[in-house]
Amino acid sequence: MPTLLHHPLDPSSRLARLMCAEYGVPLDVEEIKPWLREPGLLEINPAATLPIMMGEHDAPVVGLLAVIHAIEEQYTPSVVEGLIPSSAPARAEMWRLMEWVIFKLNDEVTRYILEEKIVKRDQRGATPEPSVLRVAKANLNEHMLYFNWLFATRQWLAGNSLTLADFALAAHLSTLDYLGDIDWGKAGETRLWYSRIKSRPAFRTLLNDRVVAMPPHSGYADLDF
């Protein structure tokens, strides 16, 4: 059984967990705060980033892209449809939107909100900076407009089939939802999509996540939100 070094609100870790849950892969998880840069983590990954997947006898698989590849290569069962499309045009669109989410959305929204609301809790005397949060939320509004437009034209994020891009976006939005940074009343088509993906069995472990001394925003674990 593989072990995943993760943080409950790290979207990249959440994506790896969703993949394993969707494919029925048993997974042990070990919680890490990567911003503390503890020696044990730095020995495995000097970049101090998550996720990291470790097998019983294998070398650690470090970083989101490597973990995605390892899960897809080693654990994709034949009894369910994979999350990476078989046709080249569909794969291209999936990877385009994967890049949008894990780089653009993360760099403009998620990482700032996590820095201000989570990382600063472990920094003596640090408090969230309202101006940073305002900019991140303004950026989020722009992203949500684009996602609404996509979901008005297709069933899933990258087309008419569920793909890895859907789980990537769900990982980020679920983190932001936990922290109370999404106004679902204004989310339009994205809310309808999130309701569908949130109801999948793979999502159950994420909905049980809790951060010490920081309960989730109201409605986080509700399927009817």
Side-chain angles (χ1 to χ4, degrees), residues 201-221:
F203 228 84
R204 290 171 185 162
T205 56
L206 267 60
L207 297 181
N208 291 328
D209 280 346
R210 295 295 181 271
V211 174
V212 175
M214 180 177 278
H217 183 259
S218 175
Y220 167 76

Side-chain angles (χ1 to χ4, degrees), residues 2 16 30 42 65 82 105 112 121 138 148 153 178 185 209-210 215 222:
E30 180 180 337
L42 295 178
L65 297 182
L105 178 64
Y112 289 109
R121 298 174 78 209
N148 285 343
T153 62
Y178 187 103
D209 280 346
R210 295 295 181 271
D222 297 338

Side-chain angles (χ1 to χ4, degrees), residues 17-62:
R17 292 167 60 200
L18 282 170
M19 288 184 71
C20 288
E22 183 75 6
Y23 290 161
V25 179
L27 190 66
D28 283 334
V29 293
E30 180 180 337
E31 184 174 336
I32 298 286
K33 293 181 177 180
W35 55 88
L36 297 181
R37 300 180 63 84
E38 295 177 341
L41 173 61
L42 295 178
E43 287 180 9
I44 300 171
N45 180 16
T49 56
L50 299 173
I52 299 171
M53 179 171 279
M54 306 178 71
E56 187 175 353
H57 303 293
D58 300 325
V61 179
V62 176

Side-chain angles (χ1 to χ4, degrees), residues 15 18-23 72 76 80-87 90-91 93-95 97-98 151 154-171 192-203:
L15 172 53
L18 282 170
M19 288 184 71
C20 288
E22 183 75 6
Y23 290 161
E72 203 56 33
T76 307
V80 300
E81 187 173 356
L83 294 169
I84 297 179
S86 57
S87 74
R91 277 199 311 275
E93 179 67 349
M94 184 211 75
W95 286 120
L97 289 162
M98 278 287 293
F151 289 125
R154 55 186 65 175
Q155 185 176 5
W156 298 98
L157 184 60
N160 291 322
S161 298
L162 175 76
T163 70
L164 196 59
D166 291 284
F167 276 179
L169 180 57
L192 298 176
W193 162 85
Y194 189 65
S195 179
R196 283 188 288 125
I197 201 165
K198 188 178 183 180
S199 299
R200 297 182 73 84
F203 228 84

